[in-house]
Amino acid sequence: MKALAERYAAALVDVALENKQAEQIKQELASFAGLLRESAELNSLLSNPAIPRGSKHAVIEQLVARMGASRTLRNYLFVIVDQRRAALLPEIEQAFSRLLDARMGVMQAAVISAADLTGAERAELDRTLSQLTGRKVQSQLKRDPDLIGGVVVKIGSTIYDGSVQAQLERLRVRLISD
């Protein structure tokens, strides 16, 4: 199913980039996938083959209008529902985000900090990580009050631990070895 979700996601990436709507579609698709995760009824309605296509289209039309989403997303959702792939939408959304980031040269970084970062601190962190990786970096921030201070950054499989706890541990090891 993952390969199928990636094919559908790749098609949407192509359309979104061609129409210069990449970020807009990314946000809209994430919002719609969130609605599906929150509502078992909606998920069931869109996935049920016994419900007529027109009824599903009407529901999608209303939801898209309420969200203020684009016609591109509406048409895409019609295709997904018509092909009986509505159950794949959460996987398609994840694959879309991953493929779009790859095509745009963006890397996602998971950043854990002791306190909330200001806008300036976040911008500086993104700039530093971009220089380090050679690609544009978007940070997803989380707060962990158990950290004494500093940040821990995970990009792909690489972890950069700049926490005070890690620095103290390195100092302890160096003092013991001397």
Side-chain angles (χ1 to χ4, degrees), residues 29-175:
L29 185 60
S31 295
F32 196 87
L35 289 175
L36 279 178
R37 281 190 286 277
E38 292 171 9
S39 174
E41 294 85 17
L42 176 62
N43 200 357
S44 176
L45 177 117
L46 295 179
S47 299
N48 188 341
I51 296 176
R53 180 185 305 183
S55 299
K56 293 176 186 180
H57 285 204
V59 168
I60 291 170
E61 187 80 51
Q62 288 177 349
L63 289 172
V64 166
R66 191 177 311 157
M67 291 170 49
S70 66
R71 189 170 188 82
T72 303
L73 180 71
R74 182 197 74 141
N75 293 343
Y76 182 75
L77 292 172
F78 285 173
V79 170
I80 294 296
V81 167
D82 292 349
Q83 296 298 315
R84 296 187 177 155
R85 303 292 187 221
L88 287 177
L89 269 168
E91 287 179 64
I92 290 170
E93 185 262 329
Q94 291 173 353
F96 176 84
S97 183
R98 192 174 53 253
L99 291 170
L100 182 63
D101 286 348
R103 294 264 299 268
M104 296 179 75
V106 175
M107 295 185 79
Q108 295 295 324
V111 177
I112 302 170
S113 63
D116 291 329
L117 300 179
T118 65
E121 291 170 331
R122 184 176 181 171
E124 178 63 28
L125 179 64
D126 284 348
R127 245 188 325 278
T128 302
L129 293 173
S130 292
Q131 289 172 347
L132 185 66
T133 62
R135 294 174 66 185
K136 183 179 177 191
V137 175
Q138 287 182 342
S139 300
Q140 306 300 319
L141 301 175
K142 282 189 197 173
R143 202 170 141 269
D144 183 356
D146 292 338
L147 284 178
I148 299 169
V151 296
V152 177
V153 178
K154 182 178 181 197
I155 301 175
S157 62
T158 305
I159 297 175
Y160 301 98
D161 194 343
S163 67
V164 171
Q165 182 177 354
Q167 292 173 18
L168 290 173
E169 180 61 25
R170 286 190 292 269
L171 180 61
R172 183 184 74 75
V173 168
R174 199 167 62 197
L175 288 172

